[in-house]
Amino acid sequence: RGAAGSAGAGGAGAEDIARLVLLGTPSRGTMSAFQILNTGFALTMSPREIFTMPSAYQLMPAGRDGHFLDLQGKPVDVDLYDAATWVRNGWSVFDPETGRGPGSDGEAGLFLQRALDRARALHAAMAIDGPDGPPVPVNLFGSACMPTLDQVVLEAASDRVRLQFPDQSPTWRNARERGKIALIPGDGTV
């Protein structure tokens, strides 16, 4: 169906949906997407390649609260959807140590801000319920829970704020303690 007949914020088209099953869909987002944007995916895709995929940004968490911690485990207020934050801190393709940038920071920064704005708009649209709640019944299922990335530790450096992921941080001395504060039950990704 076209956009006019889709089940949008007003629920138009919901009567045509008998059942919708989503398995492992990060509807509320996942910090694993943020990690992949910064470290790449396995050996097959570098951050430079993933940087160009708008859907990667749409998989990040919707809100800005609670996803970043300092080295003591206290929340840090960071706007995940501000491209200037990424550029200033050398995140993803803006990392000066690896020199993996996609071209001029200006062009890449503009692309990034458009992708982040589009992701924020998607999250806002998904958060809208009809006056009586969701227009389609929602059922949630859980299985064996595995540690799943929900928070990233930020380490202040003289030139920027460095990202410390639980499975990749050589500077974090006690990885087990770090994992306790950065991981929540999930399926390992979502």
Side-chain angles (χ1 to χ4, degrees), residues 43-63:
L43 297 174
T44 57
M45 299 184 87
S46 72
R48 182 180 172 127
E49 293 155 332
I50 296 169
F51 181 84
T52 64
M53 300 177 181
S55 60
Y57 304 96
Q58 295 170 0
L59 292 172
M60 293 190 315

Side-chain angles (χ1 to χ4, degrees), residues 148-168:
T148 304
L149 184 65
D150 183 57
Q151 298 171 317
V152 174
V153 175
L154 302 178
E155 179 181 12
S158 60
D159 58 337
R160 60 192 177 123
V161 176
R162 297 180 191 275
L163 301 169
Q164 301 293 323
F165 297 105
D167 56 345
Q168 297 178 323

Side-chain angles (χ1 to χ4, degrees), residues 17-181:
I17 300 172
R19 181 174 298 148
L20 177 64
V21 178
L22 305 173
L23 300 173
T25 304
S27 300
R28 299 186 80 182
T30 176
M31 284 302 280
S32 293
F34 179 70
Q35 181 177 12
I36 289 168
L37 281 158
N38 282 279
T39 63
F41 184 73
L43 297 174
T44 57
M45 299 184 87
S46 72
R48 182 180 172 127
E49 293 155 332
I50 296 169
F51 181 84
T52 64
M53 300 177 181
S55 60
Y57 304 96
Q58 295 170 0
L59 292 172
M60 293 190 315
R64 67 182 277 169
D65 296 333
H67 294 289
F68 292 97
L69 305 170
D70 65 16
L71 289 170
Q72 288 72 42
K74 295 179 182 160
V76 177
D77 185 29
V78 174
D79 187 355
L80 187 58
Y81 289 89
D82 178 23
T85 300
W86 292 56
V87 174
R88 181 176 57 253
N89 291 304
W91 295 349
S92 188
V93 299
F94 304 103
D95 185 344
E97 292 176 8
T98 60
R100 52 187 182 214
S104 79
D105 285 352
E107 291 174 23
L110 289 173
F111 170 83
L112 175 61
Q113 191 59 63
R114 285 192 302 267
L116 293 170
D117 289 344
R118 201 172 325 155
R120 191 186 326 238
L122 172 68
H123 290 302
M126 289 175 49
I128 298 173
D129 281 341
D132 300 319
V136 177
V138 176
N139 298 295
L140 301 173
F141 299 91
S143 62
C145 292
M146 299 170 54
T148 304
L149 184 65
D150 183 57
Q151 298 171 317
V152 174
V153 175
L154 302 178
E155 179 181 12
S158 60
D159 58 337
R160 60 192 177 123
V161 176
R162 297 180 191 275
L163 301 169
Q164 301 293 323
F165 297 105
D167 56 345
Q168 297 178 323
S169 174
T171 61
W172 190 277
R173 288 185 168 51
N174 189 341
R176 179 171 288 155
E177 286 302 312
R178 181 163 181 239
K180 287 180 184 176
I181 61 173

